[in-house]
Amino acid sequence: MASITRRALLRSGLLAGVAALAGCRGSETPSAVTTPTPTPTTTPLPSVFEDIGTEGNALVVRLVDDHTVSRLNLIAPDGTLFGSATIPTGATTARIEILDIEWGLASYDHYEPGQYTLVTVPESDADPVSVPVDLVPELRILDISQYRDGEWTADLAQIVVRIENVGTGPTWVSDFTYQDAPNWTVNNDYLRGPGLPSFAEPSNLDDILLPPGGQQTYVEGIGPLLFTSNDWDSCDIERDMTVIVGTAVGEPLEQTVRIKAGGEQTSVGLVNDFVCSRVAISPQPENAETGL
């Protein structure tokens, strides 16, 4: 489980303006109960909370054993009720879904990044307890390299992009586009699309979701490193291209890299198309801060 970091923690006390929301009791069904990994912190949570973190597509909250909480409400940065979870008698763990991908409907829901407030609804007339929770993903490109694990020679035209989430909320990467790639058919201006993931790898939701502190590698299945003999006559090639990484929320990531092709030249696809067995990819100096 990825847990909310120190930035997301944690001051006790009541939050003005949300007490009424804390008392809302809707008709949602009880949330599934899981056991998240406890998170050690130097800043204590209010005594009713054992741990707050994220797991998959949900905020996971663990309460102390002797709590009197009947419900948890998650208040959005704009003060509206974002989500809630009923706490069954005797349960100490609850999940509040904060994002979702619906493949069949080609749609998705993603929380708006910002500081949320988790508010308890007690069983008795006791006062509610609130705690701020930061849900702000922050993605960083760590590495871009030639894809070498494909089943076919043509797969050498693809790239692998490794991305890290250094923020405090889960999210996902949606797609790639390129500028000045050798394969001119993949060069397009970035247009904010529906935000749905479209990759050859990974292909399942558990791996596509990028938790806080997590890393993942992505292969899109479209080959920017496909060369044509109309432009090059060998694998002695050096040029720059820009990789643009689409994200579910926020601005896309951009990284300009220098590609140096070498090794064996192999014809693939159409008569004039070929791949190179070795393509080194390195960042341009002005992009060194991305971590590449």
Side-chain angles (χ1 to χ4, degrees), residues 5 20 34 36 40 89 102 112 149 177-179 187 194 220 275 280:
T5 60
T34 61
T89 301
E102 299 183 39
E112 185 68 26
D149 296 327
T177 190
Y178 308 88
Q179 294 175 356
N187 291 327
E220 190 176 33
V275 294

PDB file of all heavy atoms in Angstrom, residues 5 20 34 36 40 89 102 112 149 177-179 187 194 220 275 280:
ATOM      1  N   THR A   5       2.218  10.720   2.468  1.00  0.00           N
ATOM      2  CA  THR A   5       3.484  11.106   3.058  1.00  0.00           C
ATOM      3  C   THR A   5       3.310  12.248   4.038  1.00  0.00           C
ATOM      4  O   THR A   5       2.200  12.740   4.256  1.00  0.00           O
ATOM      5  CB  THR A   5       4.458  11.528   1.954  1.00  0.00           C
ATOM      6  OG1 THR A   5       3.886  12.634   1.264  1.00  0.00           O
ATOM      7  CG2 THR A   5       4.698  10.389   0.994  1.00  0.00           C
ATOM      8  N   ALA A  20     -21.390  19.785   9.269  1.00  0.00           N
ATOM      9  CA  ALA A  20     -22.676  19.343   8.732  1.00  0.00           C
ATOM     10  C   ALA A  20     -22.487  18.199   7.752  1.00  0.00           C
ATOM     11  O   ALA A  20     -23.243  17.229   7.742  1.00  0.00           O
ATOM     12  CB  ALA A  20     -23.386  20.512   8.060  1.00  0.00           C
ATOM     13  N   THR A  34     -10.267  -3.922   4.156  1.00  0.00           N
ATOM     14  CA  THR A  34      -8.959  -4.491   3.901  1.00  0.00           C
ATOM     15  C   THR A  34      -8.039  -4.153   5.064  1.00  0.00           C
ATOM     16  O   THR A  34      -8.423  -3.450   5.979  1.00  0.00           O
ATOM     17  CB  THR A  34      -8.354  -3.921   2.605  1.00  0.00           C
ATOM     18  OG1 THR A  34      -8.208  -2.508   2.771  1.00  0.00           O
ATOM     19  CG2 THR A  34      -9.228  -4.203   1.400  1.00  0.00           C
ATOM     20  N   PRO A  36      -4.588  -2.366   5.447  1.00  0.00           N
ATOM     21  CA  PRO A  36      -3.439  -1.687   4.850  1.00  0.00           C
ATOM     22  C   PRO A  36      -2.202  -1.811   5.729  1.00  0.00           C
ATOM     23  O   PRO A  36      -2.291  -2.070   6.924  1.00  0.00           O
ATOM     24  CB  PRO A  36      -3.909  -0.234   4.757  1.00  0.00           C
ATOM     25  CG  PRO A  36      -4.884  -0.095   5.869  1.00  0.00           C
ATOM     26  CD  PRO A  36      -5.567  -1.429   5.988  1.00  0.00           C
ATOM     27  N   PRO A  40       4.598   4.428   9.514  1.00  0.00           N
ATOM     28  CA  PRO A  40       5.216   5.178  10.600  1.00  0.00           C
ATOM     29  C   PRO A  40       5.374   6.640  10.200  1.00  0.00           C
ATOM     30  O   PRO A  40       5.793   6.944   9.091  1.00  0.00           O
ATOM     31  CB  PRO A  40       6.573   4.496  10.772  1.00  0.00           C
ATOM     32  CG  PRO A  40       6.865   3.897   9.441  1.00  0.00           C
ATOM     33  CD  PRO A  40       5.534   3.515   8.854  1.00  0.00           C
ATOM     34  N   THR A  89     -20.182  -2.557  12.035  1.00  0.00           N
ATOM     35  CA  THR A  89     -19.845  -2.769  13.432  1.00  0.00           C
ATOM     36  C   THR A  89     -18.667  -3.738  13.561  1.00  0.00           C
ATOM     37  O   THR A  89     -18.658  -4.809  12.975  1.00  0.00           O
ATOM     38  CB  THR A  89     -21.059  -3.334  14.192  1.00  0.00           C
ATOM     39  OG1 THR A  89     -22.152  -2.414  14.076  1.00  0.00           O
ATOM     40  CG2 THR A  89     -20.723  -3.552  15.656  1.00  0.00           C
ATOM     41  N   GLU A 102     -13.306   2.681 -16.514  1.00  0.00           N
ATOM     42  CA  GLU A 102     -14.355   1.796 -17.003  1.00  0.00           C
ATOM     43  C   GLU A 102     -14.078   1.495 -18.471  1.00  0.00           C
ATOM     44  O   GLU A 102     -14.461   2.241 -19.369  1.00  0.00           O
ATOM     45  CB  GLU A 102     -15.727   2.452 -16.829  1.00  0.00           C
ATOM     46  CG  GLU A 102     -16.061   2.768 -15.373  1.00  0.00           C
ATOM     47  CD  GLU A 102     -17.449   3.345 -15.210  1.00  0.00           C
ATOM     48  OE1 GLU A 102     -18.373   2.880 -15.902  1.00  0.00           O
ATOM     49  OE2 GLU A 102     -17.605   4.278 -14.401  1.00  0.00           O
ATOM     50  N   GLU A 112      -9.866  15.303  -8.388  1.00  0.00           N
ATOM     51  CA  GLU A 112      -9.171  16.553  -8.672  1.00  0.00           C
ATOM     52  C   GLU A 112      -8.029  16.704  -7.659  1.00  0.00           C
ATOM     53  O   GLU A 112      -8.252  16.676  -6.452  1.00  0.00           O
ATOM     54  CB  GLU A 112     -10.129  17.736  -8.537  1.00  0.00           C
ATOM     55  CG  GLU A 112      -9.538  19.078  -8.920  1.00  0.00           C
ATOM     56  CD  GLU A 112      -9.244  19.205 -10.396  1.00  0.00           C
ATOM     57  OE1 GLU A 112      -9.908  18.509 -11.190  1.00  0.00           O
ATOM     58  OE2 GLU A 112      -8.352  20.006 -10.751  1.00  0.00           O
ATOM     59  N   ASP A 149      12.766  -6.410 -25.669  1.00  0.00           N
ATOM     60  CA  ASP A 149      12.189  -7.661 -25.186  1.00  0.00           C
ATOM     61  C   ASP A 149      11.009  -8.132 -26.016  1.00  0.00           C
ATOM     62  O   ASP A 149      10.240  -8.994 -25.575  1.00  0.00           O
ATOM     63  CB  ASP A 149      11.742  -7.494 -23.720  1.00  0.00           C
ATOM     64  CG  ASP A 149      12.908  -7.216 -22.794  1.00  0.00           C
ATOM     65  OD1 ASP A 149      14.007  -7.729 -23.059  1.00  0.00           O
ATOM     66  OD2 ASP A 149      12.713  -6.476 -21.806  1.00  0.00           O
ATOM     67  N   THR A 177       2.980  10.663 -27.395  1.00  0.00           N
ATOM     68  CA  THR A 177       3.078  11.178 -28.747  1.00  0.00           C
ATOM     69  C   THR A 177       4.497  11.731 -28.900  1.00  0.00           C
ATOM     70  O   THR A 177       5.263  11.779 -27.940  1.00  0.00           O
ATOM     71  CB  THR A 177       2.006  12.236 -29.044  1.00  0.00           C
ATOM     72  OG1 THR A 177       2.010  12.528 -30.438  1.00  0.00           O
ATOM     73  CG2 THR A 177       2.265  13.521 -28.274  1.00  0.00           C
ATOM     74  N   TYR A 178       4.857  12.140 -30.113  1.00  0.00           N
ATOM     75  CA  TYR A 178       6.255  12.446 -30.399  1.00  0.00           C
ATOM     76  C   TYR A 178       6.362  13.662 -31.302  1.00  0.00           C
ATOM     77  O   TYR A 178       5.435  14.014 -32.039  1.00  0.00           O
ATOM     78  CB  TYR A 178       6.936  11.257 -31.096  1.00  0.00           C
ATOM     79  CG  TYR A 178       6.761   9.952 -30.356  1.00  0.00           C
ATOM     80  CD1 TYR A 178       5.659   9.138 -30.589  1.00  0.00           C
ATOM     81  CD2 TYR A 178       7.688   9.537 -29.404  1.00  0.00           C
ATOM     82  CE1 TYR A 178       5.484   7.954 -29.908  1.00  0.00           C
ATOM     83  CE2 TYR A 178       7.531   8.349 -28.719  1.00  0.00           C
ATOM     84  CZ  TYR A 178       6.419   7.565 -28.970  1.00  0.00           C
ATOM     85  OH  TYR A 178       6.250   6.384 -28.286  1.00  0.00           O
ATOM     86  N   GLN A 179       7.548  14.273 -31.235  1.00  0.00           N
ATOM     87  CA  GLN A 179       7.949  15.297 -32.189  1.00  0.00           C
ATOM     88  C   GLN A 179       9.340  14.945 -32.700  1.00  0.00           C
ATOM     89  O   GLN A 179      10.214  14.550 -31.922  1.00  0.00           O
ATOM     90  CB  GLN A 179       7.950  16.685 -31.533  1.00  0.00           C
ATOM     91  CG  GLN A 179       6.571  17.168 -31.113  1.00  0.00           C
ATOM     92  CD  GLN A 179       6.617  18.485 -30.363  1.00  0.00           C
ATOM     93  OE1 GLN A 179       7.686  19.022 -30.087  1.00  0.00           O
ATOM     94  NE2 GLN A 179       5.445  19.012 -30.028  1.00  0.00           N
ATOM     95  N   ASN A 187       4.510  11.443 -35.292  1.00  0.00           N
ATOM     96  CA  ASN A 187       4.737  12.830 -34.874  1.00  0.00           C
ATOM     97  C   ASN A 187       3.432  13.616 -34.928  1.00  0.00           C
ATOM     98  O   ASN A 187       2.862  13.818 -35.999  1.00  0.00           O
ATOM     99  CB  ASN A 187       5.783  13.488 -35.772  1.00  0.00           C
ATOM    100  CG  ASN A 187       7.161  12.904 -35.571  1.00  0.00           C
ATOM    101  OD1 ASN A 187       7.518  12.504 -34.476  1.00  0.00           O
ATOM    102  ND2 ASN A 187       7.949  12.850 -36.648  1.00  0.00           N
ATOM    103  N   PRO A 194      -9.190  11.525 -24.047  1.00  0.00           N
ATOM    104  CA  PRO A 194     -10.041  11.059 -22.953  1.00  0.00           C
ATOM    105  C   PRO A 194      -9.266  10.614 -21.724  1.00  0.00           C
ATOM    106  O   PRO A 194      -9.854  10.360 -20.673  1.00  0.00           O
ATOM    107  CB  PRO A 194     -10.786   9.874 -23.576  1.00  0.00           C
ATOM    108  CG  PRO A 194      -9.876   9.395 -24.659  1.00  0.00           C
ATOM    109  CD  PRO A 194      -9.205  10.625 -25.198  1.00  0.00           C
ATOM    110  N   GLU A 220       4.242   1.494 -25.599  1.00  0.00           N
ATOM    111  CA  GLU A 220       2.986   1.892 -26.234  1.00  0.00           C
ATOM    112  C   GLU A 220       2.565   0.955 -27.348  1.00  0.00           C
ATOM    113  O   GLU A 220       1.381   0.779 -27.622  1.00  0.00           O
ATOM    114  CB  GLU A 220       3.093   3.319 -26.766  1.00  0.00           C
ATOM    115  CG  GLU A 220       1.747   3.877 -27.218  1.00  0.00           C
ATOM    116  CD  GLU A 220       1.852   5.321 -27.653  1.00  0.00           C
ATOM    117  OE1 GLU A 220       2.905   5.707 -28.188  1.00  0.00           O
ATOM    118  OE2 GLU A 220       0.892   6.064 -27.458  1.00  0.00           O
ATOM    119  N   VAL A 275      14.715  -1.326 -39.052  1.00  0.00           N
ATOM    120  CA  VAL A 275      15.055  -1.045 -37.655  1.00  0.00           C
ATOM    121  C   VAL A 275      16.541  -1.269 -37.472  1.00  0.00           C
ATOM    122  O   VAL A 275      17.192  -1.935 -38.280  1.00  0.00           O
ATOM    123  CB  VAL A 275      14.261  -1.936 -36.678  1.00  0.00           C
ATOM    124  CG1 VAL A 275      12.780  -1.604 -36.723  1.00  0.00           C
ATOM    125  CG2 VAL A 275      14.501  -3.415 -36.958  1.00  0.00           C
ATOM    126  N   ALA A 280      20.929   3.896 -28.833  1.00  0.00           N
ATOM    127  CA  ALA A 280      21.163   4.518 -27.528  1.00  0.00           C
ATOM    128  C   ALA A 280      20.323   5.786 -27.432  1.00  0.00           C
ATOM    129  O   ALA A 280      20.255   6.570 -28.382  1.00  0.00           O
ATOM    130  CB  ALA A 280      22.642   4.839 -27.352  1.00  0.00           C
TER     131      ALA A 280
END
